[in-house]
Amino acid sequence: MRNYIIFGAPGAGKGTQADLIAKKYGLIHLSSGAILRHEADKNELGKKIRSYQDKGQLVPDVLIVTIMAKQISRALKSGLVLDGYPRTLRQARALDKLLKNKKTKINAVLNLRLNQVLALKRIILRGKTSGRSDDNAKTIKNRFAVYRNQTAPLLDYYRKQKKLINIDGRPEISAIFKNITSRL
Ligand code: AMP
């Protein structure tokens, strides 16, 4: 069974590539951001979640770890592509523990590399059609800072596990995808 993580700064193209990978290998694409947006506004907890998202801050680990554990356990039957999760060391450790319990593991972590100027351009473009309330200039700045401080350190965690594969995120979608499949 294949289990992958797609990693990268906001706007690097994680969602697009995760979709393509999932289709090609028959895997389930789990986007933590999309799962959280679905939860938002459902109830009081959902409202709290949305307030984090709207500020570009991370939802607390305990919350997201619980939500994702449920989804991941279900998806493991067919294999999965994780997009947006894990985003902190605590999340990564919780994920490793969960997968170990289920006698499986992450096969590879694909790190989509794109500089902030290009990433910003893509997010602004996406914001015009996504309807996402966090695709605006002020929140984006926060999301980049959160990525640098809390999420980028995970690269080292997966490098040490020899799972990290760096992918140039600048070319067009199909070229990136071709590169990814040649490396898996
Ligand atoms: P994304 O769609 O991946 O850009 O995520 C949008 C927002 O959802 C983030 O800015 C966070 O507020 C929240 N979020 C998504 N994934 C996580 C995660 N793994 N941990 C904490 N918050 C998350």
Side-chain angles (χ1 to χ4, degrees):
M1 202 62 66
R2 297 163 184 257
N3 298 310
Y4 299 124
I5 293 174
I6 187 118
F7 201 86
K14 296 190 292 291
T16 305
Q17 295 299 329
D19 241 356
L20 293 170
I21 297 167
K23 279 203 188 93
K24 180 172 171 92
Y25 299 110
L27 310 173
I28 292 178
H29 172 190
L30 283 183
S31 154
S32 53
I35 289 165
L36 288 171
R37 277 189 290 280
H38 184 74
E39 290 295 314
D41 294 335
K42 264 195 190 162
N43 46 37
E44 279 311 305
L45 182 64
K47 277 185 199 149
K48 248 177 95 180
I49 289 175
R50 185 191 263 294
S51 77
Y52 287 106
Q53 288 192 307
D54 283 347
K55 285 185 222 133
Q57 292 171 357
L58 292 185
V59 170
D61 283 333
V62 278
L63 250 176
I64 184 78
V65 166
T66 312
I67 293 173
M68 291 305 288
K70 239 192 254 167
Q71 302 268 351
I72 291 167
S73 301
R74 238 183 276 154
L76 279 175
K77 289 176 195 83
S78 34
L80 50 87
V81 187
L82 284 172
D83 156 16
Y85 187 84
R87 257 178 160 97
T88 65
L89 263 175
R90 276 177 73 181
Q91 292 177 20
R93 291 198 186 106
L95 174 65
D96 275 350
K97 203 168 145 194
L98 172 69
L99 294 181
K100 202 171 167 198
N101 278 339
K102 306 270 180 192
K103 301 199 170 15
T104 184
K105 61 177 170 48
I106 294 295
N107 300 88
V109 178
L110 296 153
N111 178 33
L112 277 178
R113 290 161 56 95
L114 189 69
N115 65 56
Q116 195 167 322
V117 176
L118 275 177
L120 189 64
K121 264 193 198 158
R122 283 196 190 163
I123 299 177
I124 305 260
L125 205 69
R126 176 176 75 188
K128 289 185 181 149
T129 53
S130 71
R132 275 179 58 167
S133 51
D134 61 346
D135 280 347
N136 64 75
K138 191 166 168 251
T139 307
I140 294 165
K141 228 179 113 192
N142 244 332
R143 283 157 65 202
F144 278 122
V146 166
Y147 173 79
R148 265 195 308 276
N149 297 330
Q150 301 187 58
T151 306
L154 279 187
L155 289 171
D156 235 21
Y157 180 84
Y158 288 113
R159 195 175 292 121
K160 282 182 187 141
Q161 294 190 2
K162 301 203 184 326
K163 289 182 179 163
L164 194 69
I165 301 174
N166 285 317
I167 301 285
D168 184 354
R170 288 171 304 178
E172 47 172 58
I173 293 170
S174 59
I176 297 174
F177 183 56
K178 216 170 145 197
N179 187 15
I180 287 177
T181 51
S182 76
R183 310 277 298 274
L184 289 179

